[in-house]
Amino acid sequence: MNKTNFGLLSACILAGSPLSVFAGTTDGFCFNDSSYPVHRDRACNLEKWVKNQQVPTQLQQLDTGNSASLLLQPEDLVGDLLLRQNDSVLEVSKRYQNCKDVYENFRKQARQTAGTIECQTGPNDFVPSSYYGSGNYCSVSGNIETCYASKLTLTPDAADISQVQPVANYSGNLVKTTRKNELSYRQGYIPVSNGGITFFVKGTVTDRKQTSLVNQQLWTGSIKSPVNPTPYFELTCVGETRVDPVTISLTYRNANMTQVGFLGGSLIRAFDQDKLKTFKQNCVSNVRLSLVNHQDIATGNWSFNFERTGGSYIDELVRFGEQLLKDANYVIAEHNTLQKISTNTNAIKQDILAEINVNWNNIASTVTVHDFFNAGAIPQRYQGESYKNTLVVNTELSVTGADGQAVPNFSLMSQLVEELKGQGISAIGQLFNFSIGYLYDDYFNQKYSDEYLANWDSMIVLSQISGLINDENNDNTVEDLVLRIESLKQSKQEKVQGISAVIEHFLYIVDIADAAEVEKLNELRNKLEKL
């Protein structure tokens, strides 16, 4: 069987040739610098596992000495993952309530969202707490600014401590405030702080004159919610905010709610398998395990063990190979977009706009509205059932440009970012569904190409440097555009070469794996070799 030399992948792309040549050596791979250092280290660890034909067990301790945080590698998630509480009793000095958990139960039961959530005290003397959701934002039309804010106030009744996990009825109301301001502009002085020193610079000052204020009660009633303490465990993907964390809550363990631990009094707890599976698919970087709000635990010198046991190195090879395939498709799609942009000064602006249109049309003409948005952050206006099957191109998210082509409505998207800030969305680029390549239809067929995320990210970058997105300077000259596109081309070329070296080493590992097990990797290997 012919092998693929991914070291020549970049040359094949530039020449428009199929990515299929001959294999080269992988000597020195584990000691070379790489644009994919996590991938390199992961491949080299997997090579050791394959040669030893076993997955080593692991035990690490999480305690106050390491700031309640462990940095893990992606392959540390293989097999069974357990947290073990080393102290039979953990004390808290106050009755805390996790307002985020209460709000999530409110969303499920009341089917409403709020921008600001306040959890008040109650008969059990819970410490008041707050949380920020979504729904607070402003939009401007002409010289009128309209701001929307929603506030949910909830107060618990006495907690039912007969439950394994204490539960309370929370009663309250949700109020939406709509404020309209008339805007006017003048030249003045703007305060700027730097290094603790405040000075003033000349600039445009915006004056606001309130013209109306309307309060509307959207909900009143009660919901039932577990009352959890504030500390909880969280697995996060380092450097990748688009991957949803996986959490394990602690609960109150005694009638006085002064002791906390795992649900049911167990000293051992595992992560939710379905959520962990999704996390492992999407996260290709290092992983951080943290005990959030650990300072609320009053017990001194507490500790937990993170334990990993079992697992198959073949299963981990399959997971790594599938991620490499998606990464390679992503990098190639990014690279191909840039190669279509000429750095000829006369054509560069038109080429950039053409590629923005092409990438947008690939997405908007095939992706439905619910699939388009980050799964945990769908704007309220698009949460209706009708949007499940509505294509993005048939909504106000897509508008007609000057050339008659469909283009993204960045003005609307900026408003949606403001609306969703409480759900971790801080820029237009974060609106898109990071897991688009992992969505399947009722027949378990992949709904969308792995390239769609690259289409979106390429479109965002090009729109920023061309000034179509407001948070980027739009005064770039043609010469500036040429320099930035050339720099992007160089960085993407380095990424192509980096991922090529990792894939080449991965295929080497597959070849030295147990012959009886390699059949499980044949389909994946064939896909990688045909890139």
Side-chain angles (χ1 to χ4, degrees), residues 357-391:
N357 290 347
V358 167
N359 283 305
W360 174 246
N361 276 297
N362 286 346
I363 296 169
S365 61
T366 54
V367 178
T368 64
V369 174
H370 278 199
D371 289 345
F372 173 85
F373 284 104
N374 185 318
I378 299 178
Q380 191 167 5
R381 71 188 78 185
Y382 295 122
Q383 290 181 6
E385 289 294 313
S386 62
Y387 287 107
K388 282 188 175 180
N389 299 313
T390 301
L391 294 177

mmCIF file of all heavy atoms in Angstrom, residues 357-391:
data_model
loop_
_atom_site.group_PDB
_atom_site.id
_atom_site.type_symbol
_atom_site.label_atom_id
_atom_site.label_comp_id
_atom_site.label_asym_id
_atom_site.label_seq_id
_atom_site.Cartn_x
_atom_site.Cartn_y
_atom_site.Cartn_z
ATOM 1 N N ASN A 357 -17.629 36.304 0.506
ATOM 2 C CA ASN A 357 -18.930 35.889 -0.039
ATOM 3 C C ASN A 357 -19.006 34.377 -0.235
ATOM 4 O O ASN A 357 -20.009 33.741 0.103
ATOM 5 C CB ASN A 357 -19.197 36.593 -1.369
ATOM 6 C CG ASN A 357 -19.459 38.081 -1.195
ATOM 7 O OD1 ASN A 357 -19.675 38.550 -0.085
ATOM 8 N ND2 ASN A 357 -19.431 38.818 -2.285
ATOM 9 N N VAL A 358 -17.935 33.790 -0.769
ATOM 10 C CA VAL A 358 -17.923 32.345 -1.024
ATOM 11 C C VAL A 358 -18.050 31.567 0.283
ATOM 12 O O VAL A 358 -18.855 30.632 0.400
ATOM 13 C CB VAL A 358 -16.633 31.935 -1.768
ATOM 14 C CG1 VAL A 358 -16.469 30.416 -1.753
ATOM 15 C CG2 VAL A 358 -16.678 32.442 -3.205
ATOM 16 N N ASN A 359 -17.247 31.948 1.279
ATOM 17 C CA ASN A 359 -17.286 31.248 2.559
ATOM 18 C C ASN A 359 -18.644 31.407 3.243
ATOM 19 O O ASN A 359 -19.164 30.458 3.830
ATOM 20 C CB ASN A 359 -16.162 31.752 3.482
ATOM 21 C CG ASN A 359 -14.804 31.193 3.111
ATOM 22 O OD1 ASN A 359 -14.623 29.987 3.033
ATOM 23 N ND2 ASN A 359 -13.839 32.055 2.872
ATOM 24 N N TRP A 360 -19.204 32.610 3.173
ATOM 25 C CA TRP A 360 -20.504 32.839 3.788
ATOM 26 C C TRP A 360 -21.592 32.024 3.092
ATOM 27 O O TRP A 360 -22.439 31.425 3.751
ATOM 28 C CB TRP A 360 -20.855 34.320 3.768
ATOM 29 C CG TRP A 360 -22.243 34.602 4.270
ATOM 30 C CD1 TRP A 360 -23.307 35.086 3.566
ATOM 31 C CD2 TRP A 360 -22.727 34.413 5.610
ATOM 32 N NE1 TRP A 360 -24.414 35.210 4.363
ATOM 33 C CE2 TRP A 360 -24.084 34.800 5.636
ATOM 34 C CE3 TRP A 360 -22.136 33.945 6.788
ATOM 35 C CZ2 TRP A 360 -24.854 34.734 6.789
ATOM 36 C CZ3 TRP A 360 -22.910 33.886 7.938
ATOM 37 C CH2 TRP A 360 -24.251 34.268 7.934
ATOM 38 N N ASN A 361 -21.564 31.997 1.771
ATOM 39 C CA ASN A 361 -22.586 31.251 1.041
ATOM 40 C C ASN A 361 -22.507 29.750 1.307
ATOM 41 O O ASN A 361 -23.535 29.066 1.356
ATOM 42 C CB ASN A 361 -22.473 31.527 -0.463
ATOM 43 C CG ASN A 361 -23.208 32.801 -0.856
ATOM 44 O OD1 ASN A 361 -24.414 32.912 -0.729
ATOM 45 N ND2 ASN A 361 -22.455 33.789 -1.332
ATOM 46 N N ASN A 362 -21.280 29.230 1.483
ATOM 47 C CA ASN A 362 -21.133 27.812 1.833
ATOM 48 C C ASN A 362 -21.897 27.489 3.113
ATOM 49 O O ASN A 362 -22.529 26.431 3.239
ATOM 50 C CB ASN A 362 -19.653 27.454 2.029
ATOM 51 C CG ASN A 362 -18.901 27.369 0.728
ATOM 52 O OD1 ASN A 362 -19.490 27.322 -0.347
ATOM 53 N ND2 ASN A 362 -17.582 27.362 0.815
ATOM 54 N N ILE A 363 -21.834 28.415 4.062
ATOM 55 C CA ILE A 363 -22.484 28.203 5.359
ATOM 56 C C ILE A 363 -23.974 28.533 5.292
ATOM 57 O O ILE A 363 -24.834 27.716 5.622
ATOM 58 C CB ILE A 363 -21.801 29.062 6.439
ATOM 59 C CG1 ILE A 363 -20.346 28.616 6.642
ATOM 60 C CG2 ILE A 363 -22.566 29.014 7.758
ATOM 61 C CD1 ILE A 363 -19.522 29.573 7.489
ATOM 62 N N ALA A 364 -24.290 29.756 4.857
ATOM 63 C CA ALA A 364 -25.657 30.266 4.960
ATOM 64 C C ALA A 364 -26.653 29.472 4.125
ATOM 65 O O ALA A 364 -27.825 29.353 4.495
ATOM 66 C CB ALA A 364 -25.695 31.734 4.557
ATOM 67 N N SER A 365 -26.207 28.907 3.010
ATOM 68 C CA SER A 365 -27.129 28.218 2.106
ATOM 69 C C SER A 365 -27.400 26.775 2.515
ATOM 70 O O SER A 365 -28.271 26.116 1.931
ATOM 71 C CB SER A 365 -26.587 28.246 0.675
ATOM 72 O OG SER A 365 -25.335 27.575 0.611
ATOM 73 N N THR A 366 -26.674 26.261 3.519
ATOM 74 C CA THR A 366 -26.860 24.852 3.908
ATOM 75 C C THR A 366 -27.077 24.633 5.399
ATOM 76 O O THR A 366 -27.588 23.584 5.798
ATOM 77 C CB THR A 366 -25.629 24.022 3.482
ATOM 78 O OG1 THR A 366 -24.449 24.625 4.027
ATOM 79 C CG2 THR A 366 -25.503 23.941 1.977
ATOM 80 N N VAL A 367 -26.701 25.589 6.259
ATOM 81 C CA VAL A 367 -26.789 25.414 7.708
ATOM 82 C C VAL A 367 -28.086 26.030 8.238
ATOM 83 O O VAL A 367 -28.442 27.152 7.875
ATOM 84 C CB VAL A 367 -25.576 26.052 8.420
ATOM 85 C CG1 VAL A 367 -25.696 25.910 9.942
ATOM 86 C CG2 VAL A 367 -24.275 25.415 7.934
ATOM 87 N N THR A 368 -28.780 25.279 9.098
ATOM 88 C CA THR A 368 -29.994 25.812 9.715
ATOM 89 C C THR A 368 -29.632 26.744 10.863
ATOM 90 O O THR A 368 -28.520 26.694 11.401
ATOM 91 C CB THR A 368 -30.894 24.686 10.246
ATOM 92 O OG1 THR A 368 -30.202 23.988 11.288
ATOM 93 C CG2 THR A 368 -31.266 23.711 9.127
ATOM 94 N N VAL A 369 -30.598 27.579 11.266
ATOM 95 C CA VAL A 369 -30.328 28.600 12.274
ATOM 96 C C VAL A 369 -29.906 27.972 13.606
ATOM 97 O O VAL A 369 -28.926 28.406 14.215
ATOM 98 C CB VAL A 369 -31.568 29.494 12.476
ATOM 99 C CG1 VAL A 369 -31.344 30.471 13.627
ATOM 100 C CG2 VAL A 369 -31.873 30.255 11.193
ATOM 101 N N HIS A 370 -30.615 26.938 14.063
ATOM 102 C CA HIS A 370 -30.258 26.320 15.349
ATOM 103 C C HIS A 370 -28.890 25.656 15.290
ATOM 104 O O HIS A 370 -28.163 25.649 16.287
ATOM 105 C CB HIS A 370 -31.323 25.302 15.753
ATOM 106 C CG HIS A 370 -32.512 25.936 16.408
ATOM 107 N ND1 HIS A 370 -33.404 25.236 17.187
ATOM 108 C CD2 HIS A 370 -32.960 27.212 16.395
ATOM 109 C CE1 HIS A 370 -34.348 26.054 17.627
ATOM 110 N NE2 HIS A 370 -34.099 27.255 17.154
ATOM 111 N N ASP A 371 -28.527 25.096 14.149
ATOM 112 C CA ASP A 371 -27.210 24.477 14.017
ATOM 113 C C ASP A 371 -26.110 25.527 13.879
ATOM 114 O O ASP A 371 -24.958 25.272 14.225
ATOM 115 C CB ASP A 371 -27.178 23.545 12.803
ATOM 116 C CG ASP A 371 -28.001 22.288 13.002
ATOM 117 O OD1 ASP A 371 -28.352 21.995 14.160
ATOM 118 O OD2 ASP A 371 -28.300 21.607 12.004
ATOM 119 N N PHE A 372 -26.461 26.699 13.368
ATOM 120 C CA PHE A 372 -25.484 27.763 13.140
ATOM 121 C C PHE A 372 -24.901 28.294 14.443
ATOM 122 O O PHE A 372 -23.693 28.512 14.560
ATOM 123 C CB PHE A 372 -26.151 28.911 12.378
ATOM 124 C CG PHE A 372 -25.296 30.145 12.222
ATOM 125 C CD1 PHE A 372 -24.382 30.255 11.180
ATOM 126 C CD2 PHE A 372 -25.402 31.197 13.115
ATOM 127 C CE1 PHE A 372 -23.597 31.390 11.037
ATOM 128 C CE2 PHE A 372 -24.627 32.340 12.983
ATOM 129 C CZ PHE A 372 -23.725 32.429 11.937
ATOM 130 N N PHE A 373 -25.757 28.497 15.444
ATOM 131 C CA PHE A 373 -25.295 29.139 16.669
ATOM 132 C C PHE A 373 -24.623 28.156 17.605
ATOM 133 O O PHE A 373 -24.936 26.967 17.620
ATOM 134 C CB PHE A 373 -26.473 29.803 17.395
ATOM 135 C CG PHE A 373 -26.923 31.082 16.757
ATOM 136 C CD1 PHE A 373 -28.080 31.111 16.001
ATOM 137 C CD2 PHE A 373 -26.188 32.242 16.901
ATOM 138 C CE1 PHE A 373 -28.501 32.290 15.407
ATOM 139 C CE2 PHE A 373 -26.592 33.423 16.321
ATOM 140 C CZ PHE A 373 -27.752 33.449 15.559
ATOM 141 N N ASN A 374 -23.699 28.707 18.416
ATOM 142 C CA ASN A 374 -23.109 27.967 19.515
ATOM 143 C C ASN A 374 -24.254 27.345 20.308
ATOM 144 O O ASN A 374 -25.163 28.042 20.755
ATOM 145 C CB ASN A 374 -22.303 28.941 20.387
ATOM 146 C CG ASN A 374 -21.555 28.262 21.494
ATOM 147 O OD1 ASN A 374 -22.076 27.360 22.149
ATOM 148 N ND2 ASN A 374 -20.334 28.680 21.728
ATOM 149 N N ALA A 375 -24.215 26.030 20.491
ATOM 150 C CA ALA A 375 -25.355 25.298 21.043
ATOM 151 C C ALA A 375 -25.835 25.847 22.383
ATOM 152 O O ALA A 375 -27.027 25.801 22.683
ATOM 153 C CB ALA A 375 -25.002 23.824 21.177
ATOM 154 N N GLY A 376 -24.933 26.369 23.183
ATOM 155 C CA GLY A 376 -25.332 26.885 24.489
ATOM 156 C C GLY A 376 -25.717 28.340 24.473
ATOM 157 O O GLY A 376 -26.003 28.924 25.522
ATOM 158 N N ALA A 377 -25.727 28.969 23.303
ATOM 159 C CA ALA A 377 -25.971 30.414 23.223
ATOM 160 C C ALA A 377 -26.754 30.760 21.962
ATOM 161 O O ALA A 377 -26.233 31.363 21.034
ATOM 162 C CB ALA A 377 -24.645 31.174 23.250
ATOM 163 N N ILE A 378 -28.019 30.370 21.942
ATOM 164 C CA ILE A 378 -28.902 30.740 20.835
ATOM 165 C C ILE A 378 -29.675 31.981 21.247
ATOM 166 O O ILE A 378 -30.330 31.984 22.300
ATOM 167 C CB ILE A 378 -29.877 29.600 20.490
ATOM 168 C CG1 ILE A 378 -29.099 28.355 20.055
ATOM 169 C CG2 ILE A 378 -30.850 30.021 19.387
ATOM 170 C CD1 ILE A 378 -29.978 27.158 19.751
ATOM 171 N N PRO A 379 -29.614 33.073 20.479
ATOM 172 C CA PRO A 379 -30.354 34.285 20.849
ATOM 173 C C PRO A 379 -31.838 33.995 21.023
ATOM 174 O O PRO A 379 -32.397 33.126 20.358
ATOM 175 C CB PRO A 379 -30.108 35.224 19.659
ATOM 176 C CG PRO A 379 -28.849 34.726 19.030
ATOM 177 C CD PRO A 379 -28.877 33.243 19.220
ATOM 178 N N GLN A 380 -32.471 34.742 21.911
ATOM 179 C CA GLN A 380 -33.866 34.478 22.251
ATOM 180 C C GLN A 380 -34.765 34.538 21.022
ATOM 181 O O GLN A 380 -35.701 33.744 20.880
ATOM 182 C CB GLN A 380 -34.341 35.478 23.304
ATOM 183 C CG GLN A 380 -35.688 35.130 23.919
ATOM 184 C CD GLN A 380 -35.975 35.951 25.161
ATOM 185 O OE1 GLN A 380 -35.214 36.835 25.515
ATOM 186 N NE2 GLN A 380 -37.063 35.655 25.836
ATOM 187 N N ARG A 381 -34.473 35.467 20.107
ATOM 188 C CA ARG A 381 -35.341 35.630 18.942
ATOM 189 C C ARG A 381 -35.309 34.424 18.009
ATOM 190 O O ARG A 381 -36.185 34.279 17.158
ATOM 191 C CB ARG A 381 -34.945 36.892 18.176
ATOM 192 C CG ARG A 381 -33.618 36.806 17.437
ATOM 193 C CD ARG A 381 -33.200 38.145 16.864
ATOM 194 N NE ARG A 381 -32.647 39.013 17.887
ATOM 195 C CZ ARG A 381 -32.299 40.283 17.673
ATOM 196 N NH1 ARG A 381 -32.467 40.815 16.488
ATOM 197 N NH2 ARG A 381 -31.798 41.006 18.654
ATOM 198 N N TYR A 382 -34.296 33.559 18.143
ATOM 199 C CA TYR A 382 -34.164 32.398 17.250
ATOM 200 C C TYR A 382 -34.425 31.066 17.961
ATOM 201 O O TYR A 382 -34.097 30.009 17.431
ATOM 202 C CB TYR A 382 -32.768 32.369 16.623
ATOM 203 C CG TYR A 382 -32.498 33.531 15.706
ATOM 204 C CD1 TYR A 382 -31.429 34.390 15.941
ATOM 205 C CD2 TYR A 382 -33.309 33.784 14.603
ATOM 206 C CE1 TYR A 382 -31.165 35.466 15.104
ATOM 207 C CE2 TYR A 382 -33.061 34.861 13.763
ATOM 208 C CZ TYR A 382 -31.988 35.696 14.028
ATOM 209 O OH TYR A 382 -31.745 36.759 13.196
ATOM 210 N N GLN A 383 -34.996 31.116 19.144
ATOM 211 C CA GLN A 383 -35.197 29.880 19.900
ATOM 212 C C GLN A 383 -36.477 29.143 19.532
ATOM 213 O O GLN A 383 -36.721 28.037 20.009
ATOM 214 C CB GLN A 383 -35.173 30.177 21.404
ATOM 215 C CG GLN A 383 -33.780 30.557 21.901
ATOM 216 C CD GLN A 383 -33.730 30.830 23.394
ATOM 217 O OE1 GLN A 383 -34.710 30.631 24.107
ATOM 218 N NE2 GLN A 383 -32.580 31.303 23.872
ATOM 219 N N GLY A 384 -37.313 29.727 18.672
ATOM 220 C CA GLY A 384 -38.555 29.081 18.277
ATOM 221 C C GLY A 384 -38.322 27.829 17.449
ATOM 222 O O GLY A 384 -37.297 27.674 16.777
ATOM 223 N N GLU A 385 -39.313 26.909 17.480
ATOM 224 C CA GLU A 385 -39.202 25.638 16.765
ATOM 225 C C GLU A 385 -39.027 25.843 15.263
ATOM 226 O O GLU A 385 -38.387 25.041 14.588
ATOM 227 C CB GLU A 385 -40.448 24.788 17.034
ATOM 228 C CG GLU A 385 -40.537 24.225 18.440
ATOM 229 C CD GLU A 385 -39.432 23.214 18.723
ATOM 230 O OE1 GLU A 385 -39.202 22.325 17.876
ATOM 231 O OE2 GLU A 385 -38.801 23.319 19.785
ATOM 232 N N SER A 386 -39.610 26.916 14.720
ATOM 233 C CA SER A 386 -39.557 27.122 13.267
ATOM 234 C C SER A 386 -38.137 27.312 12.755
ATOM 235 O O SER A 386 -37.848 27.038 11.580
ATOM 236 C CB SER A 386 -40.396 28.350 12.879
ATOM 237 O OG SER A 386 -39.880 29.528 13.486
ATOM 238 N N TYR A 387 -37.233 27.759 13.631
ATOM 239 C CA TYR A 387 -35.864 28.022 13.196
ATOM 240 C C TYR A 387 -35.002 26.759 13.152
ATOM 241 O O TYR A 387 -33.866 26.807 12.689
ATOM 242 C CB TYR A 387 -35.200 29.062 14.094
ATOM 243 C CG TYR A 387 -35.729 30.460 13.855
ATOM 244 C CD1 TYR A 387 -36.575 31.066 14.780
ATOM 245 C CD2 TYR A 387 -35.395 31.161 12.701
ATOM 246 C CE1 TYR A 387 -37.077 32.345 14.558
ATOM 247 C CE2 TYR A 387 -35.882 32.438 12.475
ATOM 248 C CZ TYR A 387 -36.725 33.023 13.403
ATOM 249 O OH TYR A 387 -37.207 34.284 13.174
ATOM 250 N N LYS A 388 -35.537 25.639 13.623
ATOM 251 C CA LYS A 388 -34.775 24.395 13.575
ATOM 252 C C LYS A 388 -34.497 23.966 12.134
ATOM 253 O O LYS A 388 -33.464 23.346 11.847
ATOM 254 C CB LYS A 388 -35.523 23.277 14.312
ATOM 255 C CG LYS A 388 -35.402 23.349 15.819
ATOM 256 C CD LYS A 388 -36.000 22.119 16.483
ATOM 257 C CE LYS A 388 -35.765 22.147 17.980
ATOM 258 N NZ LYS A 388 -36.332 20.947 18.649
ATOM 259 N N ASN A 389 -35.423 24.274 11.231
ATOM 260 C CA ASN A 389 -35.280 23.850 9.830
ATOM 261 C C ASN A 389 -35.130 25.023 8.875
ATOM 262 O O ASN A 389 -35.169 24.838 7.660
ATOM 263 C CB ASN A 389 -36.489 22.998 9.424
ATOM 264 C CG ASN A 389 -36.613 21.732 10.254
ATOM 265 O OD1 ASN A 389 -35.632 21.021 10.444
ATOM 266 N ND2 ASN A 389 -37.798 21.463 10.764
ATOM 267 N N THR A 390 -34.977 26.237 9.398
ATOM 268 C CA THR A 390 -34.819 27.427 8.560
ATOM 269 C C THR A 390 -33.349 27.656 8.245
ATOM 270 O O THR A 390 -32.515 27.705 9.157
ATOM 271 C CB THR A 390 -35.389 28.669 9.269
ATOM 272 O OG1 THR A 390 -36.773 28.459 9.547
ATOM 273 C CG2 THR A 390 -35.237 29.901 8.392
ATOM 274 N N LEU A 391 -33.018 27.784 6.968
ATOM 275 C CA LEU A 391 -31.629 28.055 6.581
ATOM 276 C C LEU A 391 -31.249 29.485 6.952
ATOM 277 O O LEU A 391 -32.079 30.402 6.900
ATOM 278 C CB LEU A 391 -31.444 27.846 5.084
ATOM 279 C CG LEU A 391 -31.613 26.403 4.577
ATOM 280 C CD1 LEU A 391 -31.476 26.370 3.059
ATOM 281 C CD2 LEU A 391 -30.589 25.476 5.217
#
